[in-house]
Amino acid sequence: MALAAGLSPAAFADTGDNGAQVPPARTANVVLSLENEKLALDLDHGTGAIDASQGVPAADLEVGPDTRTTVPAGDDYTFLGKPGSPVWVLDGRTSGTPAPRWDTTAVPTEQLAESNVDWALTGIEGPGDIAVFEPTEAATPGDEAPGPEVLFDSTDGLPDAHALPAADSGEVVWAFTEPGEYRLTSRAAARLVTGEDVTATTEWTVRVAEDIQQPPALPALPVPASSPAGDDGQGTGDGEASARTGPARAPAPAVKAATDSGVLSQKVVIDDGHVDAIAGKMVGGKLRTLFKDSRNPADISWREPSSVVLHVRPAAKEKVPANSAYSFLGKAGSDFWLIPQVQKQGVVWAGWNTESLDGGDLKSPLDMKLTKVTGPGSLAIWETAGLGGAQVLYNSRDGLPDTQEVNLGVHAHGNWGFSKQGTYKVTFQLSGRLPSGKTSSDTRTYTFAVGDVDPDAVTPGGGSDDGGSTGGTGTTGGAGSAGDSTSGSTGGPGTTGGTGGGTASGGSPTTGGGNAGGSLAHTGGGAAVPLALGAGVLVLGGTAAVVVSRANRRRAVTATAGGEAVQS
């Protein structure tokens, strides 16, 4: 396991739509060293102190809000609290993030009377408790791992001490039970061959963030009434100012604008690199469900979902682990095709993104609802339930819709598992409450060509399942564009639901129709740490806050004439 420390894990360390650079993830190694018979104890985070120029005092370690997860069920992690309670975990299995370690490689064994050096946690001040433990891994990939070895646990009192072998290193995991600022006191001790006892004591400040911090809004730039279009029909204006009640952010030059004329609709096949398949953005005063193509960070494009075929190459094929926690994927040992949470070379890396949305756009988090899956098999999207087994966010196998509540300003990745190869049509709906109190929603269909499929022969789009955007401000017209159904008319409060577009309560039906399904129900809860499965190895990583709503329901599958299963 590794440490996802810093303002944001490396999986989210990119440039947001406001052009502000998110700091990369940072290491947090506890380093013990012995030189000239003097013992030292340091926290090496690799990039120096955090910049305090924004008026916030620097901390020795910043723990991002995306490290929040929940305590899993079972006996192995009861030291972290009640199952289901929130916990902020530094475990770091995220792309490009070094693992946290204890490190005694600079303590020569020949200078010690014994071969060990003691590391202790002697004090804590803060809003909650801390636990430090060593992870354990299964002897065989897919098997259940033994429980962790706890080094320090402030819930049962301090000090706690642990003997570390000299000239060695090992991985550790840190967990905090509450957000806020902590002051930790730590001590190292060793006995030299001369008989002298040497010690080192230090204090570290750790800041655990609860919410994603939005950068200050930049002064609004003039937005032209209409944007010139190039040969590809792509405009250059931002087109968002009219939808905001507060100051608009300056558009990032590298991001192609999502105006009515600027959302790309030409068919494209994507089979590698980073994309945010489900991306929310305000267009013409309405919430749109778009596709953010971030394969080239210097030239980001916004695309209509109906124009994209995501090719999940044959290299994405994996085996379902024997661990019963993954039985939702199918029979142990059977094949499935995986888009992992951690980027894998040669496999498209698809996530979801609400970085273009802030409090000026919506008054509340988004509901991201999977309403329908059509294809040869089932689709599951999951993360780990805290530190242990999988927490399923979406699963077409047991019936739909399934809903997540996603905070504004989030960029996250999960695991997408397809049970069979073939072509899938996957329909998502985004909905949120506008500053006016009205609800705006948009339903779009995404196309996945999974496994040994010719993506050039696949036609993207969902036809009537693309219900369009509803519930906008009504001041700037619809947000439809080529390749999707046109947008619905302005609606009142309420949400669309069920399969397809539906209607907004108090408004007109959307083009494309569908069955109204009522409001989006969701339950409370914390975020989960995503699980990636690559080359048969289970990997933990960090993610942004989501709240999951999945009802217990019977599977509803209707066979079609073409042999595909429609799951809704």
Side-chain angles (χ1 to χ4, degrees), residues 194-564:
T194 61
E196 179 185 1
D197 291 327
V198 292
T199 62
T201 301
T202 188
E203 183 178 281
W204 300 316
T205 299
V206 180
R207 187 175 296 121
V208 180
E210 181 173 21
D211 298 317
I212 294 178
Q213 298 299 315
Q214 297 292 336
L218 299 176
L221 296 183
V223 179
S226 61
S227 301
D231 293 338
D232 62 353
Q234 177 182 305
T236 57
D238 182 59
E240 289 189 286
S242 62
R244 301 184 183 276
T245 59
R249 292 187 299 242
V255 181
K256 295 180 181 178
T259 62
D260 287 348
S261 61
V263 180
L264 304 182
S265 58
Q266 301 92 333
K267 178 183 175 180
V268 62
V269 174
I270 298 176
D271 60 7
D272 198 1
H274 173 241
V275 297
D276 293 315
I278 309 164
K281 190 174 180 69
M282 300 302 295
V283 179
K286 296 183 179 182
L287 175 64
R288 286 298 317 275
T289 303
L290 296 173
F291 185 101
K292 185 178 178 182
D293 185 350
S294 307
R295 289 174 294 167
N296 180 1
D299 190 26
I300 295 173
S301 299
W302 292 88
R303 300 183 183 275
E304 290 290 351
S306 63
S307 69
V308 179
V309 176
L310 281 169
H311 185 203
V312 184
R313 292 174 175 174
K317 186 167 72 172
E318 304 283 354
K319 298 289 186 182
V320 175
N323 189 334
S324 61
Y326 301 98
S327 60
F328 65 90
L329 292 173
K331 183 179 178 180
S334 61
D335 294 336
F336 77 106
W337 284 257
L338 175 73
I339 299 175
Q341 185 270 334
V342 177
Q343 189 169 16
K344 178 181 177 181
Q345 185 176 6
V347 177
V348 66
W349 191 31
W352 53 89
N353 193 307
T354 62
E355 288 179 314
S356 288
L357 301 170
D358 62 19
D361 300 314
L362 299 172
K363 295 182 66 174
S364 62
L366 283 176
D367 279 323
M368 187 170 81
K369 178 162 64 173
L370 176 61
T371 65
K372 186 176 181 180
V373 173
T374 301
S378 59
L379 167 64
I381 303 175
W382 77 95
E383 300 168 346
T384 61
L387 306 169
Q391 177 171 311
V392 181
L393 307 181
Y394 303 101
N395 187 5
S396 69
R397 186 185 295 263
D398 63 4
L400 296 173
D402 288 340
T403 302
Q404 289 187 70
E405 184 180 274
V406 183
N407 288 335
L408 307 182
V410 161
H411 174 199
H413 287 260
N415 302 277
W416 307 59
F418 298 87
S419 65
K420 296 182 182 297
Q421 61 182 353
T423 300
Y424 291 77
K425 301 287 187 174
V426 179
T427 303
F428 274 96
Q429 179 191 79
L430 295 183
S431 62
R433 191 157 53 95
L434 299 170
S436 65
K438 296 180 180 180
T439 295
S440 184
S441 66
D442 191 22
T443 302
R444 302 289 156 174
T445 297
Y446 297 80
T447 303
F448 294 81
V450 178
D452 189 13
V453 176
D454 180 6
D456 294 325
V458 174
T459 301
S464 62
D465 286 329
D466 284 343
S469 179
T470 69
T473 61
T475 59
T476 56
S481 57
D484 266 327
S485 302
T486 57
S487 301
S489 61
T490 301
T495 59
T496 60
T499 303
T503 62
S505 177
S508 302
T510 61
T511 302
N515 299 323
S519 62
L520 303 179
H522 45 266
T523 60
V529 179
L531 174 139
L533 178 62
V537 180
L538 302 182
V539 181
L540 291 174
T543 191
V546 296
V547 178
V548 182
S549 169
R550 306 193 67 251
N552 292 323
R553 48 186 177 271
R554 300 174 62 186
R555 180 181 178 185
V557 179
T558 303
T560 66
E564 293 185 335

